[in-house]
Amino acid sequence: MSDPIISVEALSKSVTDSTGTLTILRDVSFSLAARETVAIVGASGSGKSTLLGIIAGLDTPSRGTVRLAGQDIFALSEDDRAELRAQKLGFVFQSFQLMGNLTALENVMLPLELAGQRDARARAGEMLKRVGLSERLSHYPKVLSGGEQQRVALARAFVVRPAVLLADEPTGSLDFATGETVMALMFELNREIGTTLVLVTHDQAIASRCERRLNVEAGVVTQAGDEILAS
């Protein structure tokens, strides 16, 4: 059996202010296999987005380890961690996070250019065609619909063929029909490219389409079948 693409080991996150200490995540451990689709679900404030941020190395744990493709990401410097993210991770957010001064094509080209890829324009154009936006290459985000902006964000995430795609409520600001289109594309690209999909969602219908579901409640993580993943 191959090594997991993501391994979370004894992870905890607490924050302290003048009112005391708040525990957001408590002794969380689990692993994810390559190509797996996983939904992280839980009520607002349960810690699911914090967990996603720590997996990405955008936030730091109070205790514990996250390994990405076998590499302990918190043993790296911030610069090395950023480089690993650029090589291995793609991101899709509820708020799209597109660069408003760049066209759709330029937004998708950006991660390829940062990686020094000489064929960035051709690859970006092909990926936008793949998500149905071949007629929108020169359009800026402000003239695109929400669904079109999210498809640009999907193209930008998948164009680097990441080992892992992290998506935080990717349909949260979309209507039902548009959200369905975006999710269908996400799962289709997941199958085609072989990317591990880690999806934070409050939508049970979306969660049910994933192979696994991690439930976050009061900082503790369990999975379907009530197998405890946090001690």
Side-chain angles (χ1 to χ4, degrees):
M1 184 176 180
S2 60
D3 293 335
I5 187 67
I6 295 173
S7 180
V8 176
E9 303 166 10
L11 192 74
S12 294
K13 175 70 174 181
S14 300
V15 294
T16 302
D17 61 18
S18 59
T19 63
T21 299
L22 173 65
T23 299
I24 301 173
L25 295 169
R26 182 181 293 109
D27 203 21
V28 174
S29 297
F30 62 87
S31 61
L32 305 178
R35 295 179 169 269
E36 197 167 12
T37 57
V38 184
I40 300 176
V41 298
S44 179
S46 62
K48 58 186 187 298
S49 290
T50 298
L51 177 58
L52 197 72
I54 293 174
I55 291 172
L58 297 171
D59 194 1
T60 56
S62 303
R63 182 166 55 86
T65 302
V66 175
R67 298 183 188 278
L68 175 60
Q71 174 68 64
D72 180 352
I73 64 175
F74 296 109
L76 301 174
S77 68
E78 283 193 31
D79 287 346
D80 288 342
R81 197 154 61 236
E83 184 176 347
L84 183 65
R85 273 198 301 272
Q87 294 172 353
K88 300 291 186 181
L89 298 181
F91 300 90
V92 178
F93 301 98
Q94 179 177 343
S95 56
F96 317 134
Q97 299 290 333
L98 300 178
M99 301 291 288
N101 62 328
L102 300 181
T103 65
L105 181 64
E106 290 166 344
N107 265 283
V108 179
M109 288 171 61
L110 187 59
L112 295 170
E113 291 180 322
L114 291 173
Q117 300 293 320
R118 294 185 177 182
D119 58 348
R121 181 172 293 272
R123 287 173 60 182
E126 183 61 32
M127 185 56 72
L128 282 165
K129 179 180 179 181
R130 179 66 190 77
V131 300
L133 293 177
S134 58
E135 304 300 317
R136 295 295 218 175
L137 303 187
S138 62
H139 289 69
Y140 289 90
K142 66 181 180 181
V143 299
L144 300 176
S145 69
E148 287 171 334
Q149 289 186 65
Q150 194 61 300
R151 281 187 280 160
V152 173
L154 269 181
R156 182 182 60 187
F158 275 107
V159 75
V160 295
R161 304 183 71 87
V164 178
L165 179 73
L166 305 175
D168 194 355
E169 299 284 6
T171 62
S173 60
L174 305 176
D175 63 73
F176 176 79
T178 304
E180 281 290 296
T181 298
V182 167
M183 288 310 305
L185 271 170
M186 188 174 292
F187 281 103
E188 193 172 332
L189 289 168
N190 159 260
R191 289 190 297 270
E192 286 183 11
I193 296 175
T195 296
T196 299
L197 176 60
V198 184
L199 174 66
V200 165
T201 184
H202 66 276
D203 190 322
Q204 296 298 326
I206 291 174
S208 69
R209 296 168 68 173
C210 293
E211 296 165 331
R212 287 175 63 193
R213 182 168 68 180
L214 305 180
N215 301 294
V216 186
E217 184 175 357
V220 174
V221 177
T222 61
Q223 69 178 358
D226 295 325
E227 177 181 349
I228 299 297
L229 297 172
S231 58

